[in-house]
Amino acid sequence: MSAKLYLYPGWLRLWHFSNAILCLILIVTGLSMQYTTQGDSMISFQLAVSLHNICGVIFVFNYVIYFIGNMVTTNGKFYWRNWGGFFKQAITQSRYYLYGNFKGESCPFQVNEEVKFNPLQKIAYVAIMYVMVPLVMLSGIAMLYPDIIIPELNGISGMFLTDLAHIISGFVISIFLLIHIYFCTFGTSATSNFKSIVSGYHD
Amino acid sequence: MSINKVNNGLKIFSIIVGINLVLILSYSFSHSNEPVQEEKEEMVRHEENTNCFKCHGENKYTMYNADSSSTITKLMPRELFIDTLEFYDGTHKTFKCSDCHSDEYNSVPHNPELRFDPMPGCIDCHGGDPEYEEYKFEQIDEQFQNSVHSKAHTDNFACWDCHDAHSYKSTARADNGIKDMVAYNNAMCLKCHANTINYMLLSDEENPDLIAKHEWLPNQTQHFKKVRCIECHTSVSDSVLVAHEVMPKDKAIKGCTECHSKNTRLNHTLYKFKAAERRDKNGFFNGAILEESFVIGANRNIYLNYGSIAIFILVLGGILIHAILRIIIKKKKNHVG
């Protein structure tokens, strides 16, 4: 029986849980606003706007906690260290997901105290948490205070460009969420990773 | 050798600079003629109304009393002041004052009785005139008669209470952009609804605080800048370009999805003219709006819609196939084991 690793400290689990709830509300209300219809909407436009705004603001504060947490604790190292030989490692990990896993091979990158993420997880988390999330937040803040948006850029409405950035980054995050949930089933059992993010201990 | 090269380079540079100078000067010269011509035209128009504008075009006026040989200077009341620049920029710039006002105004001081003369409304000149048929003045008049403005106020309330006859210009068909049209149109409403004295002239009720009344409206400033009051306060009309049937306040539109939806009301109001000119643009629903703004819910792109659905299905399908294969292989292994 292998020893359990304490990889998810309390603050991170709390952040992760609230972030997940907020993301779900933001996706549902965002879709509701974008595809609203007259009369028979699942959520009223006004409620969707209010919920989206409130959750968006909490989401930003939550991100600040995550960002500072990653700076002052050891959690940040999992994102930024060990990038040497990334492409080769990413190919090895991809091969495992597409082939090796079906052949009963074990994951080429085992979780330990120094490496929490495999190369594909690492690139995905960095892209989402340090590119897409800031983009969705900045464009969201701009739309919450539309007066700060430049009226036009090269003849295109600034509001339109901001909204486009918000919708596209929001969509990418939604797709990430699906993939993230599925890949969490790749643990010692299909549910072990879900249990880990609740208990804090990696199996 | 190198000096020759430098000299040649300088020559080419001088020629290029010279050509540019000639082009700039000829452009400036050809364009410098335009204002002179415009000024000439304006001068001709000016002279026809000079007498009136001597007093009504100035902030103050001077009167001479022959009996006492004395002069007095008074401030011109704001409601009698005509901004000559706006007048000559307006739709009725070619008019003589006497086209609408009595000739008797030529005598000074004016006879106070003249104030009781009925003023012609839009329909009096434009009604039944085939030249102005596209503007549908008869239908506009009909809508106005049904509006709360006509019903709640006296018979004296007429076109000119909103549209200043001296500076009126059509903005709905102009290509100045929606922002300018919104500002121009809303200024008409605010002339009374944001001005206690003007409001008092028409109603004994207290002038409601517009900001407080619209507190429920999210992003109030943006809405006030981007759409006209009449978007929500008039009933949609397909017959005329600008709806004139102002509804009572309790019937004003308050539902967000009236505008923020694929079948946006804005296409039948603010963007009616542009929407008719340009239907969907680059796959965007309600593309005309995109030229000026972005309305959540109204502006959707069909390609982005299909693209996002395709990506979503591909990702979900990929996950499902992968998951099913994992389950099948695991079961097989367990079976063999």
Side-chain angles (χ1 to χ4, degrees):
Chain A
M1 190 178 165
S2 60
K4 283 186 173 184
L5 273 173
Y6 187 64
L7 277 183
Y8 311 102
W11 73 268
L12 191 67
R13 280 178 282 148
L14 200 64
W15 165 79
H16 188 271
F17 177 74
S18 47
N19 201 52
I21 300 286
L22 289 166
C23 274
L24 287 175
I25 299 173
L26 287 166
I27 290 168
V28 171
T29 52
L31 281 171
S32 171
M33 279 192 284
Q34 181 67 9
Y35 296 101
T36 186
T37 47
Q38 287 174 18
D40 57 347
S41 289
M42 193 173 67
I43 308 169
S44 80
F45 188 84
Q46 221 161 348
L47 179 67
V49 170
S50 303
L51 268 176
H52 201 80
N53 288 348
I54 293 165
C55 291
V57 171
I58 302 171
F59 183 79
V60 172
F61 282 113
N62 212 30
Y63 183 80
V64 173
I65 292 170
Y66 164 83
F67 192 83
I68 294 171
N70 273 355
M71 276 178 25
V72 298
T73 70
T74 54
N75 194 58
K77 73 179 179 187
F78 298 122
Y79 296 85
W80 302 110
R81 282 188 197 166
N82 304 320
W83 279 88
F86 167 76
F87 288 105
K88 205 178 164 191
Q89 291 172 359
I91 291 165
T92 307
Q93 185 65 30
S94 305
R95 186 199 160 276
Y96 166 72
Y97 283 137
L98 295 170
Y99 179 77
N101 168 64
F102 299 116
K103 287 289 191 186
E105 293 173 11
S106 57
C107 182
F109 297 94
Q110 293 297 324
V111 173
N112 59 48
E113 280 171 348
E114 292 303 312
V115 181
K116 191 162 80 169
F117 308 132
N118 71 49
L120 293 183
Q121 281 176 318
K122 197 154 67 174
I123 186 81
Y125 293 160
V126 167
I128 292 297
M129 294 312 298
Y130 291 97
V131 180
M132 284 300 154
V133 168
L135 185 62
V136 85
M137 286 190 310
L138 289 174
S139 52
I141 292 166
M143 287 201 292
L144 198 59
Y145 300 99
D147 289 325
I148 63 173
I149 298 174
I150 51 164
E152 64 168 60
L153 188 71
N154 285 335
I156 305 168
S157 154
M159 186 71 185
F160 164 59
L161 291 174
T162 312
D163 195 273
L164 209 58
H166 194 69
I167 289 170
I168 291 173
S169 49
F171 176 74
V172 172
I173 293 168
S174 315
I175 292 294
F176 164 78
L177 201 67
L178 279 179
I179 299 169
H180 178 55
I181 291 168
Y182 177 63
F183 277 92
C184 283
T185 61
F186 283 82
T188 46
S189 74
T191 55
S192 63
N193 280 337
F194 296 101
K195 286 174 186 164
S196 296
I197 199 66
V198 176
S199 68
Y201 289 94
H202 182 79
D203 235 343
Chain B
M1 189 71 175
S2 61
I3 291 171
N4 278 344
K5 269 186 183 175
V6 171
N7 282 341
N8 284 339
L10 279 172
K11 272 181 195 167
I12 293 166
F13 179 73
S14 308
I15 291 166
I16 293 168
V17 170
I19 290 168
N20 277 325
L21 272 174
V22 169
L23 286 172
I24 291 166
L25 284 173
S26 58
Y27 178 84
S28 310
F29 182 73
S30 63
H31 281 70
S32 66
N33 282 341
E34 287 169 12
V36 175
Q37 279 174 354
E38 270 181 21
E39 216 170 281
K40 240 183 188 176
E41 268 179 46
E42 201 170 287
M43 286 301 285
V44 172
R45 291 201 298 265
H46 253 296
E47 279 179 353
E48 296 196 356
N49 297 321
T50 302
N51 273 340
C52 302
F53 288 150
K54 261 183 202 167
C55 294
H56 290 280
E58 301 293 336
N59 286 313
K60 60 182 182 180
Y61 65 97
T62 303
M63 287 175 77
Y64 175 69
N65 186 325
D67 296 336
S68 60
S69 301
S70 60
T71 56
I72 51 164
T73 300
K74 294 273 184 190
L75 284 176
M76 175 58 68
R78 298 316 296 167
E79 71 272 20
L80 299 177
F81 170 77
I82 310 296
D83 186 323
T84 50
L85 289 176
E86 281 188 2
F87 178 83
Y88 286 119
D89 191 37
T91 302
H92 299 126
K93 62 186 170 194
T94 55
F95 279 30
K96 286 186 287 183
C97 300
S98 56
D99 285 339
C100 300
H101 300 280
S102 166
D103 283 336
E104 288 181 52
Y105 275 109
N106 285 328
S107 65
V108 181
H110 306 313
N111 178 0
E113 290 289 321
L114 291 171
R115 287 200 173 201
F116 294 93
D117 280 358
M119 290 304 298
C122 302
I123 199 81
D124 294 314
C125 294
H126 298 295
D129 188 340
E131 200 184 328
Y132 296 98
E133 203 179 338
E134 63 166 314
Y135 296 96
K136 301 181 177 173
F137 280 101
E138 288 81 4
Q139 276 135 306
I140 289 175
D141 188 56
E142 201 177 303
Q143 288 187 5
F144 167 68
Q145 299 302 339
N146 290 328
S147 77
V148 71
H149 278 156
S150 175
K151 286 178 178 168
H153 301 308
T154 62
D155 288 344
N156 293 331
F157 192 94
C159 308
W160 306 129
D161 284 293
C162 299
H163 305 282
D164 186 340
H166 301 108
S167 61
Y168 173 78
K169 55 182 176 185
S170 170
T171 52
R173 287 174 172 80
D175 211 16
N176 293 339
I178 296 292
K179 200 176 154 194
D180 290 344
M181 194 219 290
V182 169
Y184 181 84
N185 276 263
N186 286 351
M188 282 185 223
C189 306
L190 296 176
K191 195 172 74 177
C192 294
H193 288 280
N195 184 308
T196 310
I197 293 169
N198 287 349
Y199 190 85
M200 209 167 64
L201 192 67
L202 294 163
S203 173
D204 295 328
E205 288 175 28
E206 195 183 341
N207 193 3
D209 180 348
L210 291 187
I211 305 290
K213 284 277 172 194
H214 292 86
E215 202 118 282
W216 63 274
L217 189 64
N219 282 329
Q220 197 188 72
T221 317
Q222 282 296 312
H223 277 101
F224 284 178
K225 273 195 219 165
K226 300 274 184 178
V227 290
R228 300 169 300 184
C229 309
I230 57 170
E231 259 62 81
C232 302
H233 289 277
T234 58
S235 54
V236 167
S237 163
D238 287 327
S239 56
V240 299
L241 188 58
V242 180
H244 277 70
E245 192 174 330
V246 179
M247 300 181 289
K249 60 186 171 194
D250 55 318
K251 286 191 178 167
I253 299 301
K254 271 188 129 175
C256 307
T257 51
E258 292 278 344
C259 294
H260 291 277
S261 61
K262 196 172 152 190
N263 299 319
T264 178
R265 182 184 173 87
L266 293 175
N267 260 353
H268 304 279
T269 55
L270 183 61
Y271 289 90
K272 187 190 272 183
F273 187 62
K274 277 180 178 275
E277 273 191 328
R278 292 174 285 277
R279 286 293 171 198
D280 296 344
K281 187 187 174 189
N282 301 331
F284 278 96
F285 293 110
N286 310 310
I289 298 172
L290 274 181
E291 291 182 4
E292 301 277 345
S293 195
F294 189 88
V295 179
I296 296 166
N299 290 125
R300 307 171 195 178
N301 186 289
I302 199 159
Y303 306 125
L304 280 181
N305 280 357
Y306 287 146
S308 56
I309 291 167
I311 292 170
F312 184 78
I313 290 171
L314 277 175
V315 169
L316 204 63
I319 287 172
L320 277 174
I321 292 166
H322 200 272
I324 290 165
L325 283 175
R326 272 172 73 196
I327 293 165
I328 292 170
I329 291 168
K330 197 179 176 187
K331 273 187 179 173
K332 268 186 183 173
K333 273 183 189 164
N334 287 343
H335 189 69
V336 171

